[in-house]
Amino acid sequence: MSKARGNLVEGIVTFVTGLGLWLFTGDVEVPVVTLTKVGVVMMCVGGVLVASGLWQEARSKN
C-alpha cells in the first residue's frame, strides 16, 4: 500500500470515528475532556489526512 493510499484510509477512519463521537456522545460526561470536542478535533485531523493523501496521489500521477 502506498503512503498516499495509507493516508487516505487512515484519514477516512479517523474522520468517521470523530463523526461518531461528535454525534453520539453528547450525553456522556468524562472528567477531563468533552467527547464531542474530541470528535471535532478528530474530524479535522481526518480531513487533513484525507487532503494529504489526495495531494500525494495527485503528485505521484505526474
Side-chain angles (χ1 to χ4, degrees), residues 2-56:
S2 68
K3 184 169 174 100
R5 178 113 16 217
N7 280 344
L8 281 171
V9 170
E10 184 179 355
I12 290 169
V13 169
T14 304
F15 184 85
V16 169
T17 304
L19 183 64
L21 283 172
W22 181 65
L23 289 174
F24 300 116
T25 60
D27 298 338
V28 178
E29 300 217 7
V30 179
V32 179
V33 296
T34 306
L35 292 178
T36 54
K37 290 180 184 176
V38 171
V40 171
V41 170
M42 287 182 71
M43 287 190 299
C44 292
V45 170
V48 169
L49 282 170
V50 168
S52 173
L54 290 173
W55 177 261
Q56 289 170 349

